[in-house]
Every structure is written in structure tokens, then in C-alpha cells.
Amino acid sequence: MSIDFDTIVNLAKKRGFVFQSSEIYGGLRSAYDYGPLGVELLRNVKEQWWHSMVRMRDDVVGIDSAIIQSPSVWEASGHLASFTDPLVECTNCNNRFREDKLDDPDQCPSCGKRGTFTEAKNFNLMFKTHMGPVESPDNAVYLRPETAQGIFINFENVRRTSRMKLPFGIAQIGKSFRNEITPGQFVFRTREFEQMEMEFFCRPEEADEWFEYWIEERKRWYVDLGMSEDNVRFREHDQDELSHYSAGTFDVDYRFPWGFDELEGIANRTDFDLKAHMERSGKDLTYFDQESGERFVPYVIEPAAGATRTTFAFLLDAYDQEEVRGDTRTVLRLDKRLSPIKVAVLPLSKKPQLTEISTRLAQDLRPLFPVEHDVTQAIGRRYRRQDEIGTPYCVTVDFDTLDDQAVTVRDRDTMDQDRVSMDKVAAYLRDRLG
Ligand code: GAP
């Protein structure tokens, strides 16, 4: 179903997925904190990405590089010179905007006046700070605006130590920072965010083939995790949209409430980055192919996704409402691998005969799955809460349990209920949750 923006933002806040950063101080625009459910969902998205991009492959390895790197990295990569967005200012209300994101390039979205924009100037998105106790131009450093450069500068370290042969990839998940001119749309565009990036090194003549391969592979990933195919599309960048390093980019777009917008960019970065770092550092980053005896600089295909943005898209995609016996049921139909809580254990009443059993059962299930033990409120309201946060199974301990040593397991999607013997409930859930 299509869902409006406010509904999902309200659900995310109400249920503890995402909070505004520094909320008690009025909120810091463009940064967010992930609450108890949000952190689990975000971790699950990252884990699924790592699982498919690293663990399930013998041609990709992982890395976790520093956020603060030598400023030479950003000089070489071109970010200091070219990582800019076009900034315009309204001379009437003094608000600033990203020119390429304006609905009408002649009308200020804030005060509504026409013809009041200044000439666009290039605004660099890098966050600058200083390393050490003295603030001087000599010790300026930058927070990374992409995780990719940490991979390029470690290309030779990884190749040598892991003995990888082309084609092979290096993957990384981590925080990136961009001083966006117009952050907004909740966690879609923020100044601090998380990326999931993989640089796939290959022979130059094989780059086009790998580009196609990774486009298909990445589409498969989203759909396999339950994202509706109708809501995902691929869009090739026009020449004037390409980043300074790219010979070709495909965006994976998702149908957000405001229209299709970018989830991931898949780019052919050619040999741009390795060559740039070779020139700047003086280090040899060429690859020697023992079979052919050739030495060359590999090309790179890069699938670069946003973890925080993707988490938001999965939330939107999973949101559903249906009529059940005259009531509206809200349910997050998240893929089970993404659900923050996999099993809710619910005693029918707060009576100690039941809570003693449910406490023990929850304890037994905890080593296997993320479990929530909820004893408060009427059972209907507890089911509703679990539906709203996407919990695939609710296990209810009732008064019959005292006699038959069995519990009722309710399926989130079908609402079907099975009576399962307590000594079989772990296996029953394991079969269904994997
Ligand atoms: N290394 C290539 C690179 O960084 P990008 O298209 O600029 O490419 C990759 O970024 C992904 O990172 C985007 O598709 C998006 O999902 C995420 N991303 C970029 N800027 C973001 C921001 N300000 N807030 C949230 N996510 C962002």
C-alpha cells in the first residue's frame, strides 16, 4: 500500500525506531538516533548486506577503516576540489537551497518570491575539523564523506595479506558525513549517515560485464528481502549528473512518498581512484597478473548503498493496514530476517502461574532469537503492538498451558494460530525463522 510520509515518521517515533538527535535540546536538524527497535532493524539491514556481499562470496573480503584519514586522501580523490553541490541563496528571505533540488529554479520554496536567487556557487560538502590541541591550517582534517576511499588506500594491504586475485572486492560498512545544504525527509538525507559500500576490482576490459552483473545482483538483494519490485527501479545517470570519478552510474531508486529517489548508486569508477592515489602517494598500486605477465591498474565497479536510507525504505515498504472484524490492523510486513523482534512471549494474564512459565520460556528462547516478554495490557493490544513493530510470531501462554503444557503461536501475516507443545516450540520457531 502507499503510505504518507507523516504516518511512517510518527510510527517510527512512537514505537522507538528513530528519535530526533538531541531532542531534549530542541533537536539537531539532520541527525537522528536509533532507538531500541531501530537499532535492531538497522543492524539487520547491515547484517543482511554483509552476509550477501562478504560472507556468501569467496571473491569479496571486508575492511573497517578509520573515519579520519590523511587530508592527502581527499586531495587525491578530488573531493576537496569537486565534492560540491550548487548553492543558491534567496535575497528576500536569506534561506539557502540546493539549486538542483528546487521544484521551480526561479521560485523560493520558503518565501514564495520569484527571481530572488543569487548565482549558484559550488559549496563543498566536506566536514572540516582539526587534529590535536592547536587549531591551524596545518592540522585540518576531514570526516569522510564516503567509506570508499578507506578501501582504495588499503587496496595493496588487503591484496597482499589476503592473497586475493582479480576480480575481487573489498566491502565496508560505516558512518559518513556530508554537510548537506538541504538535509530533510526524515532519515533520507542527513549530515551523518551510514553507508554500505563495496569496491570490486577487475580487469579494465571486464568492467562493463561486472557493471551489469552488480546491477542485477543488487536488485536481487532488495527484492529477496521483501521489497516490492514495483517500488524499485533503475535509472541511468545523464552525463551531466555523473560524479567526478564516474564513467557510468545506475541508481537504484525507491518509490518514497515524494516519488522515486535514490537508494544506491552503482558506478564504474574506472581506474580513477587507484591512479590518483598512486600519483599523490608515490606508491605502486598496480596489479601484476601472474598468468598473463601483465601489470595494470584495475578498474572498479562500486555498488554504494545507504544503510540508514535503506532501513527507512524497508520500513515504508513493509507498512500495511487491513480491516479485521471492523477494526483497522496496522502491520509491518518486514521480512523475518529484518524484524527487530522475532518472537514475543505473552502470558494471557499477569497471574504468577502464567508469568512464571512465560518468563522461563522467554529465557529459553533468548539464546536463539531476539525475544520480547510483554506482560502488560490486554492481549489484543499486545498483539497490535507486535504487529506494528513487525514481530513475526507471538507465543501466548494461557490457562490451558497449565494442563496441556502447550502454547499458542500466532503468525503475524496470516493471524493463524497453532497450538504447539512447549518442548517443541523452539524447533517450531527455528523452522520458520531460520
Ligand atoms: N562512494 C560512492 C558514494 O558515496 P553516493 O551516491 O554519493 O556514492 C551512496 O552515496 C549512497 O549513500 C546513496 O545512494 C545513499 O543511499 C547514501 N547517502 C548519500 N548521502 C546521504 C545522506 N546525506 N544521507 C543519507 N544517506 C546518504
Side-chain angles (χ1 to χ4, degrees):
M1 71 174 282
S2 68
I3 170 188
D4 72 273
F5 182 70
D6 290 342
T7 305
I8 201 75
V9 171
N10 288 339
L11 178 110
K13 287 182 180 162
K14 182 175 86 176
R15 291 304 187 193
F17 282 93
V18 181
F19 307 118
Q20 177 78 62
S21 161
S22 314
E23 199 176 271
I24 62 167
Y25 290 104
L28 184 69
R29 211 170 142 238
S30 93
Y32 287 89
D33 300 337
Y34 288 75
L37 296 175
V39 69
E40 295 287 345
L41 178 59
L42 180 61
R43 281 174 79 125
N44 292 343
V45 168
K46 291 186 285 185
E47 249 167 56
Q48 286 304 318
W49 186 89
W50 196 258
H51 181 75
S52 105
M53 298 297 270
V54 182
R55 293 267 162 78
M56 294 301 286
R57 306 187 62 101
D58 62 3
D59 57 355
V60 179
V61 290
I63 190 177
D64 189 1
S65 72
I67 287 173
I68 300 176
Q69 298 160 20
S70 162
S72 302
V73 172
W74 309 112
E75 274 164 30
S77 69
H79 281 83
L80 279 179
S82 313
F83 196 57
T84 57
D85 277 337
L87 173 103
V88 289
E89 184 171 338
C90 171
T91 49
N92 182 52
C93 67
N94 296 114
N95 279 310
R96 291 170 182 170
F97 304 94
R98 205 174 130 176
E99 190 191 36
D100 57 334
K101 294 284 174 193
L102 288 169
D103 288 335
D104 178 345
D106 201 38
Q107 183 173 29
C108 175
S110 188
C111 68
K113 281 257 160 63
R114 301 192 75 85
T116 52
F117 285 134
T118 55
E119 279 288 298
K121 66 174 186 202
N122 288 333
F123 174 74
N124 194 292
L125 303 183
M126 303 271 284
F127 266 101
K128 192 176 185 177
T129 184
H130 293 86
M131 199 140 87
V134 183
E135 217 176 278
S136 92
D138 296 340
N139 61 16
V141 287
Y142 302 87
L143 304 185
R144 67 179 178 201
E146 61 169 10
T147 63
Q149 295 305 322
I151 295 176
F152 294 124
I153 58 176
N154 279 292
F155 168 71
E156 185 50 21
N157 283 338
V158 174
R159 189 204 60 76
R160 196 180 59 247
T161 52
S162 59
R163 293 171 297 144
M164 299 299 279
K165 294 204 166 41
L166 287 191
F168 75 90
I170 306 176
Q172 164 152 246
I173 297 179
K175 292 246 176 174
S176 291
F177 302 83
R178 295 182 190 177
N179 200 3
E180 299 281 0
I181 297 168
T182 41
Q185 285 131 323
F186 196 41
V187 298
F188 178 81
R189 180 170 288 105
T190 48
R191 292 186 171 125
E192 173 179 343
F193 55 97
E194 244 179 314
Q195 290 186 305
M196 312 185 283
E197 299 198 288
M198 198 272 288
E199 309 303 317
F200 196 77
F201 300 92
C202 63
R203 297 180 67 90
E205 65 274 21
E206 291 174 3
D208 287 346
E209 212 177 298
W210 283 112
F211 190 41
E212 296 300 319
Y213 170 86
W214 281 110
I215 290 171
E216 280 311 306
E217 197 56 21
R218 292 304 303 144
K219 180 173 181 191
R220 202 187 51 72
W221 185 79
Y222 290 101
V223 175
D224 176 59
L225 279 174
M227 202 171 268
S228 158
E229 239 172 310
D230 292 346
N231 291 338
V232 186
R233 73 160 195 208
F234 283 92
R235 190 183 66 87
E236 187 166 15
H237 276 213
D238 296 332
Q239 277 300 317
D240 61 354
E241 265 183 286
L242 290 177
S243 313
H244 61 275
Y245 49 72
S246 177
T249 298
F250 261 87
D251 278 350
V252 184
D253 286 350
Y254 180 75
R255 195 197 299 270
F256 285 95
W258 56 91
F260 275 104
D261 217 334
E262 180 186 333
L263 264 190
E264 166 163 357
I266 303 167
N268 178 355
R269 289 183 82 129
T270 68
D271 53 6
F272 177 91
D273 301 270
L274 286 181
K275 267 193 174 151
H277 288 302
M278 266 189 4
E279 271 162 34
R280 173 84 201 179
S281 68
K283 296 287 185 312
D284 182 9
L285 302 178
T286 56
Y287 178 84
F288 180 66
D289 187 333
Q290 295 199 323
E291 272 168 35
S292 67
E294 292 167 277
R295 185 173 282 286
F296 56 91
V297 183
Y299 264 41
V300 173
I301 305 303
E302 174 196 65
T308 36
R309 198 178 274 189
T310 300
T311 299
F312 182 32
F314 276 121
L315 257 185
L316 284 163
D317 211 74
Y319 188 92
D320 196 14
Q321 279 194 336
E322 63 182 11
E323 290 301 308
V324 180
R325 290 184 291 276
D327 259 354
T328 304
R329 177 172 94 112
T330 299
V331 51
L332 273 190
R333 297 193 192 278
L334 286 168
D335 183 280
K336 291 167 190 170
R337 290 166 291 181
L338 298 181
S339 292
I341 307 287
K342 312 285 186 221
V343 180
V345 178
L346 314 171
L348 192 64
S349 99
K350 270 194 204 161
K351 293 226 158 61
Q353 303 122 285
L354 299 192
T355 56
E356 274 164 25
I357 298 174
S358 63
T359 304
R360 218 170 337 131
L361 181 60
Q363 207 59 11
D364 290 347
L365 294 175
R366 272 207 178 98
L368 305 173
F369 324 101
V371 169
E372 191 169 281
H373 182 215
D374 186 1
V375 299
T376 52
Q377 297 184 321
I379 191 73
R381 292 188 72 162
R382 280 182 279 164
Y383 281 151
R384 267 206 296 285
R385 176 185 138 76
Q386 296 301 332
D387 287 342
E388 255 189 56
I389 65 174
T391 306
Y393 294 104
C394 289
V395 177
T396 306
V397 174
D398 54 29
F399 289 100
D400 290 339
T401 308
L402 301 172
D403 299 325
D404 66 3
Q405 304 299 307
V407 288
T408 301
V409 183
R410 173 185 177 272
D411 182 296
R412 174 196 73 196
D413 294 326
T414 60
M415 291 187 291
D416 287 345
Q417 304 202 351
D418 276 347
R419 194 77 184 161
V420 182
S421 156
M422 284 231 283
D423 57 359
K424 302 228 166 53
V425 74
Y428 176 99
L429 293 168
R430 209 185 292 116
D431 279 353
R432 286 156 180 79
L433 289 165

